Amino acid sequence: MFQTRLRHEARMPLFHLTEPAESESSIDVHRTFAPKPTLRTALLKIVSLALALSTALMVATSTDSPVFELAYLTIWSLLFALLYQITSIGVMLRLSRMEGCEKKERLHWSTKIAWATYALASTLEATVALSYWPLRLAGVVTDPITYTNFMTHGGIALIVLIDGSLLCKIPLRLKQVLLPMSVGCAYTMWTIIHWKLNLGNPHTEDFDTIYEILDWQKSFRLSLLQSFLLTFLSF
């Protein structure tokens, strides 16, 4: 079964609706991206978006250097979560006005964007949560647990996963793993640029790096290994 699924995913494009079954069953776009009842789905998505937006606003207003917040992977994943929630609402509204289903071989560009941002948001948010809480339990991370801290390191992940996996049942395709992995590579390059340009960290005087455990100056090999593991954790 696993081998059949793997071969099927390997020969299919990044976004496809067919499932590896004898009948070549196809995913219903409307049931997946605009499940009924429409009003319930819309309300749940609006509440999810409101929670993510309020979290982003709280993060921006709780620091003297809101621009530097964009340096953190936590905020990158939060932004992708916001993009998914906004685009998914747009797709739901568009599909709810349509009578027929979309063709199997041609997905609307907006549906592809919502699908891609879900693959990015769900994987990155889960990666942030799985990276943060073990470090906290190990005593490496000691910052206080606040509402904002919880939401940015697990709460938003739960919201996105419940929305995409339980409410909408959006499938994740094998080739879509390239999306969060590419973001992981981009973030690694950003941390190196930050180090080379010596941009510092206005949030603390204890260290100049974005993350204390990711210090390219002190240990390049260890930082490279950590970045490699973080990137492939999304796999």
Side-chain angles (χ1 to χ4, degrees):
M1 181 64 181
F2 176 76
Q3 292 179 344
T4 302
R5 180 86 186 190
L6 193 62
R7 287 196 298 268
H8 175 79
E9 291 289 340
R11 64 183 175 84
M12 298 302 290
L14 192 66
F15 304 100
H16 67 87
L17 301 176
T18 58
E19 292 295 319
E22 293 180 359
S23 60
E24 285 292 318
S25 59
S26 179
I27 294 173
D28 189 315
V29 175
H30 285 72
R31 291 181 179 177
T32 301
F33 291 93
K36 295 182 180 299
T38 303
L39 181 59
R40 182 201 63 181
T41 301
L43 288 175
L44 289 174
K45 284 184 173 293
I46 290 172
V47 170
S48 298
L49 176 59
L51 287 172
L53 277 174
S54 63
T55 299
L57 289 174
M58 291 175 69
V59 169
T61 56
S62 63
T63 176
D64 295 331
S65 305
V67 175
F68 189 78
E69 292 292 333
L70 295 173
Y72 295 103
L73 182 62
T74 305
I75 304 304
W76 286 33
S77 62
L78 175 58
L79 292 177
F80 279 116
L82 285 170
L83 282 174
Y84 162 66
Q85 291 167 328
I86 293 171
T87 54
S88 68
I89 290 175
V91 169
M92 182 203 65
L93 293 175
R94 184 182 63 82
L95 289 175
S96 64
R97 296 196 301 266
M98 297 173 60
E99 295 183 358
C101 295
E102 294 190 8
K103 296 180 179 179
K104 295 181 183 179
E105 67 278 11
R106 295 187 64 184
L107 279 170
H108 193 268
W109 61 267
S110 61
T111 306
K112 291 182 179 180
I113 291 177
W115 200 342
T117 51
Y118 173 67
L120 284 163
S122 60
T123 308
L124 292 174
E125 284 288 348
T127 300
V128 167
L130 292 174
S131 301
Y132 176 81
W133 292 104
L135 290 175
R136 185 172 191 87
L137 292 174
V140 177
V141 179
T142 58
D143 53 325
I145 300 179
T146 61
Y147 172 79
T148 305
N149 203 1
F150 169 75
M151 290 298 287
T152 54
H153 296 94
I156 299 298
L158 288 174
I159 291 174
V160 170
L161 289 172
I162 290 173
D163 182 305
S165 300
L166 297 181
L167 180 63
C168 294
K169 295 181 175 60
I170 302 174
L172 293 178
R173 301 308 189 188
L174 178 63
K175 291 181 180 179
Q176 289 174 0
V177 74
L178 297 174
L179 299 174
M181 287 179 68
S182 63
V183 173
C185 291
Y187 189 77
T188 298
M189 291 302 299
W190 155 239
T191 61
I192 294 176
I193 292 172
H194 176 274
W195 161 53
K196 284 294 186 180
L197 295 180
N198 195 24
L199 297 178
N201 189 331
H203 292 167
T204 179
E205 296 180 355
D206 297 332
F207 52 90
D208 293 329
T209 57
I210 300 173
Y211 293 104
E212 185 176 6
I213 61 172
L214 192 63
D215 193 329
W216 296 95
Q217 181 68 37
K218 291 182 178 179
S219 180
F220 186 88
R221 292 182 179 179
L222 179 60
S223 296
L224 187 64
L225 176 61
Q226 291 172 336
S227 298
F228 178 83
L229 292 175
L230 182 65
T231 299
F232 281 88
L233 181 62
S234 62
F235 186 81

